[in-house]
Amino acid sequence: IRKFSNLSLTNEEIVNKCKEHTIFSWSAQKPVNPIVMTKSEGIYFWDAEGKKYTDCNSQLMCTNIGYQHPKVIQAIKDQADELMFAGPAIATRVRAEIGVELSKRTPGDLNKFLFTLGGAEATENAIKIARMSTGRNKIVVRNKAYHGATHGAIMLTGDHRRWTNEFAGGMGGIIRVFDPYSYRSLLYRDGMTEEEYSEIMLKQLEETLLVENPYNIAAMFLETVTGTNGIIPPPAGYLKGLRELLNKYGILMVCDEVMCGFGRTGEWFAVDHWDIVPDIMTMAKGITSANLPLGAVALSNKVAKHFDDVIFPGGLTYNSHPMCLAAGLATLKVYEEDNIIENAKNMGIYLNELLHKMKEKHVSVGDVRCIGLFSAMELVKNRQTKEPLATPYYTNPVMGKLTKYLRDRGLFIFVVNNIFHFNPPLIINKEQLDEIFEIIDEAC
């Protein structure tokens, strides 16, 4: 037992001490029952008593290159020897290098970056930048969006995580529209092509823009591929049509690639699938594979130019932290040197096959969605009515039993309402996927 814990504590002791002195996020504190983690490698981690877990969700869709990559560890050690800290007003070698390297990989003219400590902070700055650079106030968001848990970011969020934050007031000027979620859309009809469905969704969106005065709308924020609310890739024609629609009214397109960026969908960024270049793009998680906290706001040349002669009114003590930038720079190189994005593309094809086999075999599987290694399986009581197996936003004993079954068998899986998410580290192979789905098959 002891060899798995540097603190020489049991699972129970670690959990009890954590619960006594720390707060767990998005949880009532009394019933929370966290998994203990003391060691990790590749796609696996272990608790203090030696139990091995297969990480089927890259923790929070972030450990893209797997755990404990030696090149990233070494880069962090080397940076610690060179320079551990410099404030955000200081120019450093690593800051110069990562800016160049990142601009080689971002689409189009997204060439200038504000480095933050995470995705929510990137969203906050993107809101500020969009409003300042356009001189407009309103922001369009989608009902299934999640953009972070800080004050402004949570108000852009469409799901129930926003609700409790509304009691304290909130940021105004938010316009909410529907996602192109054909499986549960009232506008979708059987037999529609993706292009036809996209056209209807865009017409509905334009009608909303006209009602809200499009010339007072600064930006539309969207997850390029909707993440924690069900992994919803956009239908064919949607993003191209959206880009044209927003251009028509001078509205900035802000793509949130915090989850779907850095190889998750089988391309560097999800927008690359549709040859779309947003005006602003937010990113985090996979930029360091979560080895150290780092996020970024990428700006197009046009948006960045606004601040050539106008003061940018922002910045926090740890922005552009050298240690985090070093982890990011090393991670960018690992993606290419280890062919990780190519593996994500190939394994994504195989994962999609496995998901569709589950749908064919189990009547409880209503829909599956997959792009690269970004995927979900939606469970229903009835395929015809599409009634969810779990009521959205509330605890459901059936999903609880399923989750416990998988956890007991060593699978760490992310569950939201009636949806299982499968977003493993991008280094996963076929044999590992087969092992995972043998257990999921038993559970369903």
Side-chain angles (χ1 to χ4, degrees), residues 114 124-126 128-129 132 297 299 306-316 319:
L114 171 67
E124 298 287 348
N125 281 284
K128 183 188 303 182
I129 290 167
M132 287 193 67
V297 186
L299 307 179
H306 176 81
F307 297 101
D308 284 352
D309 300 304
V310 175
I311 294 173
F312 175 73
L316 299 173
N319 287 165

Side-chain angles (χ1 to χ4, degrees), residues 235-246:
Y238 179 82
L239 286 182
K240 182 177 183 294
L242 178 61
R243 173 79 272 189
E244 293 171 355
L245 178 59
L246 298 180

Side-chain angles (χ1 to χ4, degrees), residues 421-436:
H421 292 71
F422 306 104
N423 310 300
L426 308 185
I427 60 172
I428 200 165
N429 59 41
K430 283 187 175 182
E431 291 73 21
Q432 292 166 331
L433 283 170
D434 286 339
E435 291 173 4
I436 291 168

